[in-house]
Amino acid sequence: MSLEVYNEEQKEAINFDGKHLLLLAGAGTGKTKTIVGRAAYLIENGTPPEKIQILTFTKRSASEIVERVKAGISGRSAQALNGSTFHSWCNQLITLFPNLFGASSYTVIDADDQLGLMKMACGNAKAVYGKLRIKPQKILDLFSFARNTRTNLTEAIRVLLHKGKDDEETNEEIEELRPILEIVIKEFQKLKIQQKYLDYDDLLLVVGNRLNKDENARRILSNAYDYILVDEMQDTNPLQWFLLAPFENICKLFCVGDDAQSIYSFRGADFKNVHSFTDRVRNSEIKKLNKNYRSTQEILDLSNWLLEQSPIVYNKKLNAHRGPGKKPTIVNVSNQFEEANYIADKILTDFGENGKSFSDFLILSRSQYYTKPLQAVFLQKKIPYETYGGRKFLEAAHIKDVLAVLRVINNPLDQIAWMRYLTFVHGIGEVRASNYLREILSVGPDQINGEFLESIIPGLEGQTIKKYYEAVSENKHNVKAAVKDLYKEMELDLALKYAKDWQEKRKGDFPVLEMLAEHYSTLGEFITEGILDNSVGLGGNHLLEGSKIQTTQHQDHVIISTVHSAKGLEADVCFVLNVSPKTYPSSYSLGNSEEIEEERRVLYVALTRAKNELIITRTTDSLNAYKASTDSPFASNEEESAYFFENLPEELVKQESPLGQFKKPIDATSRNEIDLDFGFDFS
């Protein structure tokens, strides 16, 4: 591997010979390239690739890093290198060390199944649950938040249900709720253990608990790993840190992150895992990457200024390797349709006259809901686009129908899968399915087979159930064949159930499911890995996302994304929508300094996606309302600092409106006395 392609900062990190390193890598500074370089350097200098673990937040990122390392090293010396998400890695450890973790026979359940099980728990605890006015999904959210933030139930209730309030009335309400929620959550956990289920959080806890409590476990893993390389360290939450902390004494940590891009606190991420790294990890050092290869200096000047206004000291100033370019533009619009038409016209002009592709444009918004008028205008003007988000491939109903059969053969105690399997067959309702399920669970798992199922389920329904079961059981050790044969048996019934959109939307998913199955050696691995992360498809394409809107079959399209989904994205021209008062920061965050600072980091991430042209929109109505409120004698200090661009230096941007050059309205030079009369006479 040649180090000539790396700058001096990157080389220092790649060649680091200390114990633990935190690499603070600003936006666009080549952090992925540096992780790839570090892994290649370690392998070429004698570290066995199987003793290096790369951890990322998406399967796609992990695959990209591993493939780039393999491509850069001659021969097959890097073939055993492993890259995973945190959850996938924990699942691999549970499978590799079945005796150590004791959970290899458990099935991982997805969000829908967790909700179904929580509803069951609420039903079992109905004597107390009836006193709650909280939906099962909210109880799941509380449970997960408490675990991921490593906080107690009282604080989880305070944050999620009472927006952090701490007063006598709130405390009394929490004390009423807490014991009831405790009963329901314990019932939920009991059901999971009885049916041998693990949810996503359980995977991290099973491994983290064992490593933190058991010296023998740490010794065993110290023989398995020499280095752990962690990407996007700023997005780790306290539960993930609980998992990583024991590795301080097991192997060497190489963690890459950017505290200025920590934007996921709503799911428990704690930027202090980066900010306080050297305090938490003994024998650790910090190095920085500050040379940006993505954006021009004018875009970075605005981004740097935004961070400099923060009370948090980031000690970060990005410098553009590419040099100067265009100033960012702020476009002041009257409403969303004016904004949408401006963007559409700009894209069409650049596409038609300036030789740009549609894929050169990225549009970022706080929410997909806000982009609905924009999408309507794009459809009207025939601009191809994609949006990301929503249900993933393996969460689609028709796919889950097929997976249910695989799941019961993998785990015969999986009651949720049995109910879906049985009720899929025409003629079997929930009552009959529940009765059959009682009979199925009354025998040992080794007695369950196709013949047995046909013996307890009479008629055509029993024959169908048997056919489905045997299609999988006869191919139990060939996952692709199991999926292929099962689909062949289920195809007609699936087509009838989903007749409305079978040909257009659903049928084409099953060849993809077969291709996906080919990469797994066991049913359990396929089910678990698929559930954990299936948002991207084979070869890194966005193949498996279920809800993206495709307006064209061509690859050339504009991407419309939320800011929280934008990490890793970049584009020649980037539009950041509605950077207005009460949006940046959100009005909901006012009064909470930590939330305001996270909002600042959200905007920073958005601004740093642009390569050559950054266009920011905001509404004149919001500006006028904000100006009126801050000029009021009753304005609070909160309101005075409630807009990130309030004191933006004019030289950092240019401003315009869709109708021409934007000019601030000129007021009278001196203040007049108010002229207010009754507006009528009293005659």
Side-chain angles (χ1 to χ4, degrees), residues 35 39 42 47-56 62 65-66 80-86 88-90 92-93 96 224-231 244 247 251-254:
I35 295 172
L42 292 173
T47 303
E50 65 273 15
K51 290 200 166 191
I52 301 170
Q53 175 64 46
I54 296 167
L55 290 176
T56 70
I65 291 169
V66 169
L81 181 64
N82 187 43
S84 319
T85 63
F86 280 84
S88 181
W89 179 49
C90 287
Q92 290 166 23
L93 290 174
L96 282 170
Y225 296 107
D226 289 341
Y227 292 90
I228 291 181
L229 281 57
V230 185
D231 191 15
L244 282 176
F247 286 92
C251 61
K252 295 180 179 180
L253 298 172
F254 182 90

Side-chain angles (χ1 to χ4, degrees), residues 608-629:
T608 54
R609 300 307 95 195
K611 292 182 181 178
N612 292 314
E613 198 169 351
L614 174 61
I615 300 169
I616 299 159
T617 68
R618 62 182 181 183
T619 62
T620 50
D621 283 352
S622 65
L623 286 171
N624 293 336
Y626 175 69
K627 181 67 176 162
S629 69

Side-chain angles (χ1 to χ4, degrees), residues 225-258:
Y225 296 107
D226 289 341
Y227 292 90
I228 291 181
L229 281 57
V230 185
D231 191 15
E232 304 287 9
M233 185 67 182
Q234 76 281 350
D235 294 334
T236 54
N237 61 34
L239 176 55
Q240 287 158 334
W241 178 250
F242 174 72
L243 170 69
L244 282 176
F247 286 92
E248 176 188 346
N249 301 308
I250 291 173
C251 61
K252 295 180 179 180
L253 298 172
F254 182 90
C255 301
V256 182
D258 182 3

Side-chain angles (χ1 to χ4, degrees), residues 163-448:
K163 295 184 177 177
K165 285 196 292 187
D166 188 2
D167 54 53
E168 190 174 342
E169 185 181 349
T170 300
N171 291 336
E172 285 177 7
E173 286 183 30
I174 291 172
E175 276 309 301
E176 283 181 31
L177 282 177
R178 191 186 54 73
I180 300 172
L181 286 168
E182 182 180 346
I183 292 168
V184 174
I185 289 170
K186 284 182 175 177
E187 178 64 23
F188 173 70
Q189 194 75 348
K190 185 178 86 174
L191 288 173
K192 279 196 299 178
I193 292 168
Q194 284 175 348
Q195 298 178 41
K196 293 198 168 184
Y197 291 144
L198 294 175
D199 62 30
Y200 303 145
D201 300 334
D202 292 330
L203 289 170
L204 273 62
L205 275 167
V206 165
V207 176
N209 283 338
R210 178 63 58 193
L211 290 176
N212 277 279
K213 296 174 184 176
D214 187 342
E215 187 177 338
N216 185 45
R218 294 192 290 274
R219 196 193 76 255
I220 289 170
L221 286 204
S222 70
N223 293 324
Y225 296 107
D226 289 341
Y227 292 90
I228 291 181
L229 281 57
V230 185
D231 191 15
E232 304 287 9
M233 185 67 182
Q234 76 281 350
D235 294 334
T236 54
N237 61 34
L239 176 55
Q240 287 158 334
W241 178 250
F242 174 72
L243 170 69
L244 282 176
F247 286 92
E248 176 188 346
N249 301 308
I250 291 173
C251 61
K252 295 180 179 180
L253 298 172
F254 182 90
C255 301
V256 182
D258 182 3
D259 47 359
Q261 294 190 69
S262 178
I263 60 173
Y264 297 109
S265 69
F266 63 88
R267 67 183 188 202
D270 184 2
F271 85 105
K272 298 185 193 72
N273 288 347
V274 164
H275 223 59
S276 307
F277 187 83
T278 51
D279 297 329
R280 294 180 175 185
V281 182
R282 287 166 299 170
N283 301 315
S284 62
E285 297 177 41
I286 293 178
K287 293 187 182 295
K288 294 181 181 181
L289 301 182
N290 285 314
K291 186 173 283 189
N292 177 286
Y293 290 87
R294 176 186 298 151
S295 307
T296 56
Q297 190 60 51
E298 285 78 359
I299 292 168
L300 297 182
D301 286 342
L302 176 59
S303 307
N304 289 335
W305 173 85
L306 180 68
L307 284 191
E308 286 164 6
Q309 309 314 299
S310 171
I312 297 173
V313 179
Y314 289 101
N315 280 325
K316 188 182 309 297
K317 192 155 190 173
L318 296 178
N319 299 302
H321 174 73
R322 297 173 52 215
K326 291 182 179 178
K327 274 189 183 181
T329 301
I330 292 181
V331 181
N332 299 278
V333 296
S334 300
N335 54 57
Q336 281 182 265
F337 281 99
E338 186 173 83
E339 174 185 62
N341 278 290
Y342 172 87
I343 292 170
D345 291 345
K346 161 76 174 164
I347 290 172
L348 289 172
T349 300
D350 280 2
F351 180 79
E353 299 174 12
N354 299 328
K356 288 193 184 297
S357 303
F358 289 119
S359 57
D360 289 327
F361 298 92
L362 171 64
I363 298 168
L364 299 176
S365 172
R366 291 302 299 267
S367 70
Q368 283 292 3
Y369 179 79
Y370 181 84
T371 68
K372 295 300 180 186
L374 179 71
Q375 293 181 39
V377 170
F378 276 19
L379 289 169
Q380 179 191 7
K381 299 195 176 189
K382 296 183 170 52
I383 296 175
Y385 70 93
E386 281 195 9
T387 67
Y388 299 111
R391 279 191 174 272
K392 294 178 181 176
F393 178 73
L394 295 189
E395 293 174 358
H398 56 296
I399 300 295
K400 292 189 77 171
D401 288 337
V402 174
L403 287 182
V405 186
L406 275 65
R407 283 175 52 177
V408 299
I409 291 171
N410 181 62
N411 176 8
L413 299 177
D414 190 338
Q415 294 184 35
I416 293 170
W418 273 117
M419 286 297 288
R420 187 171 197 119
Y421 175 10
L422 295 170
T423 56
F424 173 79
V425 175
H426 183 70
I428 301 180
E430 290 201 6
V431 175
R432 279 181 68 190
S434 297
N435 293 333
Y436 294 146
L437 182 55
R438 271 195 294 275
E439 288 191 62
I440 292 167
L441 296 178
S442 69
V443 302
D446 56 339
Q447 293 177 258
I448 300 171

Side-chain angles (χ1 to χ4, degrees), residues 470-490:
E470 290 181 346
V472 178
S473 62
E474 290 171 5
N475 294 291
K476 196 172 180 181
H477 302 295
N478 184 336
V479 183
K480 183 182 179 182
V483 171
K484 185 177 182 179
D485 288 0
L486 178 59
Y487 172 61
K488 195 183 298 180
E489 296 292 348
M490 294 182 73

